[in-house]
Amino acid sequence: MQWMLWTLPTALFFGSIALLLLGMLIWEILQPCVERRGWIIPMRTTRGDRLFIGLLSSAYIAAFWLVFVPLSMWWMAAITIAILVILQAVG
Amino acid sequence: MDTKFADNRAWLLVLPATLLVFFTAMIPFMAVVNYSFQIVFSMQNHALIGWETFHEALTNEEFSGALGRQVLFTGIVLLIEIPLGIAVALTMPRTGKMVGPVLVVIALPLLVPWNVVGLIWQIFARGDIGLFGAFVNNVLHINYNYAVGEYSAWFTVVLMSVWHWTSLVALLAYAGLCSIPGAFYQAARIDGASRWATFRFIELPKLRGVLTIAILLRFVYSFKTYAESLTVTGGGPGTSTTFMTQMLTNTAIGQFAYGKAAAYGLLYFLIILLISYIFYIVLTRVGTNEGGA
C-alpha cells in the first residue's frame, strides 16, 4: 500500500464510502426501492441516483466552501451529510 | 421486458469487468485522492497537508487559466463541428455507387493517430514550407505564424480539431439520417414542405439521440485534448494554448508536484463527471415523457 500513500483521513473517507455502499445494498435487499419523484430533484430517481447526486454536489460544495467560506471544513462536512440525508428522504 | 427472472446468476458474468475496472480505474483513482491531500517529495518522503493543494488549485491563475482556455476551446470546437458535421451528413449520398467511397473518405481523418495529426498540421501550417501557412502568408498576405501569434496558434489548433473530428459527427449524423423511414419524406413532400422545414421538423428531431451522443463524445474528447495541440504549439506561445491535460502534465512530470497535480486532476475529473452525468440523464430519457433534466 506504500505507493498509494494512504493516510488516516483518506482511509476513513474511503472506508465510509464503502460502508455507505454496503449499507445501501443491505437497505435495497431488505426493502427494494421504488423510483419516485421528490421535491428537490426535477426527475424520477432511485436511491442510488440520489446518493450519487448527493455525493457529486457535496464535492462541488466542498470546492465552493474552500474558496468562499472562511469557516472550518467540518461545517462543510456536516452540511453535506445533511444534504445526503435530505436528498434521500425527500429529494 | 416484463418477465422477472428469479435467478440472477447471470450477473456473475459482469464480475470480471467489474474487477478489471476496480484494479485499473478505482485503485489508481483512490491513489490520486491520497496524493492530493499531501505534499509528495518522493514515495518515502511525504506529508499530509490537508486542503491546501485544493485551495491553491482553486485560487491560482495556472488552474483557472487552463480551465478557461479549455472551456473556450471545447465551446468553439463544438459550435463549429456539430453544425458542420450535420451539413456534411446532409450532402452525403444515401444510395448508389458512391456511398462506399464517400464513407471511406469521410472516415479517413479519424484513422490518423492524434500525434500524427499534430505533425501533419505542424508542417502544413508552417509559414516557410507548409502549403497552408505559405498560402496564407504569401498569397492572402495575412501575417500568420502559430509559433509566435496567439490568434494564429488558436486558429491552427481549432482548424486541426475540426479537420480531425468533424468526420465523427458527420458519420453519426449520417447514420441517424439513414434510419429515418422514407414515409416521413413522402408525407413532407405531400404537404409541400420546404427543404428547411423538412430538416427542422423531421430530420433534426429524429437526429436528437445521435446528436446527443455526438456532442457528448466531442465534448469529452475535446475536453481531454492533448497530443494534437501539444505537437503543434507546445502549449504556446506563452501559455495561450496550454489546455488542462498539458497543464496537468507540466505540474506532475515537469514540476514533480504530485500533490498539486492530483488536486488539479480531481477537480478536472469532477467537471467531466458532472457534464457526463447530465448527458447520461438526457440520453437515458430521450423518448420518454420526462424529456431530460
Side-chain angles (χ1 to χ4, degrees), chain B residues 249-272:
Chain B
T249 315
N250 291 345
T251 312
I253 295 165
Q255 307 172 14
F256 293 105
Y258 296 118
K260 199 165 80 169
Y264 285 176
L266 282 180
L267 292 168
Y268 184 34
F269 172 67
L270 269 185
I271 297 167
I272 295 195

Side-chain angles (χ1 to χ4, degrees), chain A residues 55-73 75-77 79-80 83, chain B residues 51 54-59 63 267 270-271:
Chain A
L55 288 174
L56 189 58
S57 25
S58 302
Y60 277 88
I61 290 169
F64 179 83
W65 194 278
L66 194 58
V67 179
F68 297 107
V69 185
L71 294 171
S72 160
M73 292 301 273
W75 287 106
M76 180 280 294
I79 288 173
T80 51
I83 286 175
Chain B
W51 296 94
F54 286 95
H55 190 264
E56 197 190 333
L58 289 164
T59 49
F63 183 83
L267 292 168
L270 269 185
I271 297 167

Side-chain angles (χ1 to χ4, degrees), chain B residues 204-273:
Chain B
L204 205 54
K206 289 277 174 196
L207 285 180
R208 193 182 152 186
V210 253
L211 283 184
T212 315
I213 295 172
I215 295 172
L216 172 66
L217 288 177
R218 281 312 299 137
F219 165 79
V220 175
Y221 283 2
S222 65
F223 213 77
K224 301 190 303 187
T225 182
Y226 182 66
E228 291 167 312
S229 55
L230 185 70
T231 316
V232 178
T233 65
T239 56
S240 57
T241 54
T242 303
F243 300 123
M244 288 296 284
T245 46
Q246 292 170 19
M247 189 270 292
L248 270 173
T249 315
N250 291 345
T251 312
I253 295 165
Q255 307 172 14
F256 293 105
Y258 296 118
K260 199 165 80 169
Y264 285 176
L266 282 180
L267 292 168
Y268 184 34
F269 172 67
L270 269 185
I271 297 167
I272 295 195
L273 191 61

Side-chain angles (χ1 to χ4, degrees), chain B residues 3-23:
Chain B
T3 340
K4 193 156 171 73
F5 294 101
D7 190 351
N8 278 330
R9 270 179 300 179
W11 280 106
L12 285 175
L13 295 173
V14 184
L15 197 62
T18 313
L19 279 176
L20 191 72
V21 168
F22 185 76
F23 281 105

Side-chain angles (χ1 to χ4, degrees), chain B residues 40-51:
Chain B
V40 185
F41 296 107
S42 67
M43 291 300 119
Q44 283 73 40
N45 193 357
H46 52 92
L48 186 68
I49 52 168
W51 296 94

Side-chain angles (χ1 to χ4, degrees), chain A residues 2-11 13-14 35 37 42-45 49-50 52-53 56 59-60 62-64 66-67 73 76, chain B residues 27-31 33-35 37-38 40 42-44 46 48 51 54-55 58-59 267 270-271 273-274 277 281 285 290 292-293:
Chain A
Q2 176 57 31
W3 70 274
M4 286 177 74
L5 304 188
W6 281 103
T7 61
L8 188 62
T10 45
F13 173 74
F14 280 115
E35 204 180 49
R37 190 185 169 128
M43 59 178 194
R44 293 164 68 83
T45 49
D49 293 336
R50 291 193 288 275
F52 180 81
I53 292 169
L56 189 58
Y60 277 88
F64 179 83
L66 194 58
V67 179
M73 292 301 273
M76 180 280 294
Chain B
I27 288 188
F29 174 77
M30 285 155 128
V33 174
N34 291 338
Y35 284 26
F37 290 98
Q38 304 181 59
V40 185
S42 67
M43 291 300 119
Q44 283 73 40
H46 52 92
L48 186 68
W51 296 94
F54 286 95
H55 190 264
L58 289 164
T59 49
L267 292 168
L270 269 185
I271 297 167
L273 191 61
L274 174 66
Y277 186 63
I281 290 168
R285 277 156 220 263
E290 294 229 32

